[in-house]
Amino acid sequence: MPWGVIRHGIDKSKSLALAAQPEFACVGMFTQDRRIKGSCVLIHPRMALTAAHTLDKTHDRSPLYVEFGSTEILIDSFSIHPLYRQNKDADLAILYLSSSKSDLQLPKLNRSKKEIGQIGTSVGYGNFSVANNPKDIVESGRLKSAGNNMIDSLAGRLLPNGLSPHVYADFDSPDGPDFNRSGSAVCLDMEYGLDGGDSGGGMFYKIKGNAVLAGINAIQNKHIADIIRTRSFYGSSSQWVRVSVFRKWIKQQIKQYEKINPTI
């Protein structure tokens, strides 16, 4: 399967240009044995957020690395959210880096739980394709692509505090509302769908003109029968871990790390 999926009718370079904007330089990838395991978002010079499920297929026989542009940094260790083993929708982990990456703009963590109706920009790594031609991969290799979705609803198995762990958006088609599953049927100019290698990357939106990290790329809901029937990815949906809901835990991990490493 491809990674990011863009709508048809736009120049693919727009997706790459959007991902290359300075505020998204904090989105990197992490690898093992030179293979991409997922994307990640730098939130501290020595810490990056990712989706916990990306770590499920790693092993302890060789090291993990993060890459931001041309910089490669060894991962010392990682911490998975304590609820993940009992609720896979608590799909969040922190990667601890062996050295600082201090030359990038770090995103603010979204605190508002009013995500519905916001237009988010998702950024991640991998191959990507055009939605109405699932078999045709536009580019192969380590590409950072991006696109937009309007957040339609909350999703996921409720946490012990009663909050939903995810936000949800469907992949609308520019050809009409037939594929709409939730919320507005309007297809955005840069309508987008997540897939494999995007997991762990970031979803950002603007609050008072400032980009904040609102979600961590988590799930792409595709049904093979629908893809075969429609010959497209339209009608699929994506889900992101809500940073607002897990913000307290993230901030606690940062505080604890800095307490143990006061010189960082």
Side-chain angles (χ1 to χ4, degrees), residues 6-11 14 147-148 174 186-192:
I6 58 174
R7 55 159 280 187
H8 72 277
I10 67 164
D11 187 330
K14 290 185 178 181
N148 299 328
V186 175
C187 180
L188 303 176
D189 289 344
M190 295 290 291
E191 192 86 8
Y192 191 77

Side-chain angles (χ1 to χ4, degrees), residues 13-261:
S13 66
K14 290 185 178 181
S15 178
L16 304 181
L18 179 60
Q21 291 185 4
E23 61 263 44
F24 305 137
C26 59
V27 178
M29 72 171 81
F30 77 94
T31 66
Q32 186 173 52
D33 301 322
R34 296 298 174 184
R35 295 181 179 180
I36 298 174
K37 293 297 179 179
S39 300
C40 61
V41 184
L42 194 71
I43 57 167
H44 177 279
R46 295 281 291 271
M47 302 168 72
L49 280 178
T50 190
H53 76 262
T54 62
L55 294 160
D56 287 344
K57 294 183 180 180
T58 60
H59 57 79
D60 58 7
R61 298 185 300 278
S62 55
L64 298 170
Y65 292 90
V66 294
E67 295 182 23
F68 295 95
S70 59
T71 302
E72 182 180 73
I73 303 173
L74 177 70
I75 296 173
D76 272 342
S77 60
F78 57 81
S79 176
I80 293 175
H81 194 279
L83 291 176
Y84 177 66
R85 296 307 173 193
Q86 64 192 69
N87 182 353
K88 295 298 185 182
D89 290 336
D91 193 4
L92 203 62
I94 293 177
L95 308 174
Y96 297 93
L97 313 187
S98 63
S99 60
S100 294
K101 182 63 175 171
S102 57
D103 59 343
L104 298 180
Q105 177 182 330
L106 300 179
K108 291 187 177 181
L109 303 178
N110 180 45
R111 63 171 68 240
S112 172
K113 295 180 177 64
K114 297 180 179 180
E115 298 99 337
I116 296 174
Q118 297 281 356
I119 294 178
T121 299
S122 298
V123 188
Y125 276 86
N127 302 331
F128 71 109
S129 67
V130 177
N132 67 346
N133 193 352
K135 294 182 179 180
D136 183 23
I137 294 177
V138 176
E139 293 285 352
S140 61
R142 300 179 172 194
L143 294 176
K144 183 192 285 190
S145 61
N148 299 328
N149 297 92
M150 179 176 286
I151 303 304
D152 292 328
S153 62
L154 304 181
R157 179 182 167 193
L158 293 182
L159 301 171
N161 59 10
L163 295 174
S164 297
H166 290 179
V167 290
Y168 169 103
D170 62 352
F171 195 160
D172 293 304
S173 169
D175 294 334
D178 291 348
F179 294 96
N180 178 253
R181 291 182 181 272
S182 177
S184 171
V186 175
C187 180
L188 303 176
D189 289 344
M190 295 290 291
E191 192 86 8
Y192 191 77
L194 300 177
D195 209 338
D198 283 321
S199 293
M203 186 269 284
F204 305 79
Y205 60 66
K206 294 290 183 70
I207 295 181
K208 296 181 179 179
N210 298 312
V212 300
L213 178 62
I216 293 297
N217 304 341
I219 298 174
Q220 173 59 267
N221 299 302
K222 289 190 177 78
H223 303 285
I224 298 300
D226 288 343
I227 294 172
I228 294 173
R229 177 177 56 83
T230 66
R231 297 182 181 179
S232 78
F233 288 128
Y234 293 121
S236 63
S237 61
S238 299
Q239 293 178 209
W240 299 261
V241 178
R242 299 170 72 191
V243 169
S244 64
V245 170
F246 294 95
R247 186 177 184 276
K248 183 178 180 180
W249 178 77
I250 296 168
K251 298 292 282 188
Q252 286 174 340
Q253 301 312 300
I254 293 174
K255 184 176 181 180
Q256 181 178 342
Y257 182 83
E258 291 181 338
K259 184 177 181 179
I260 298 171
N261 302 275

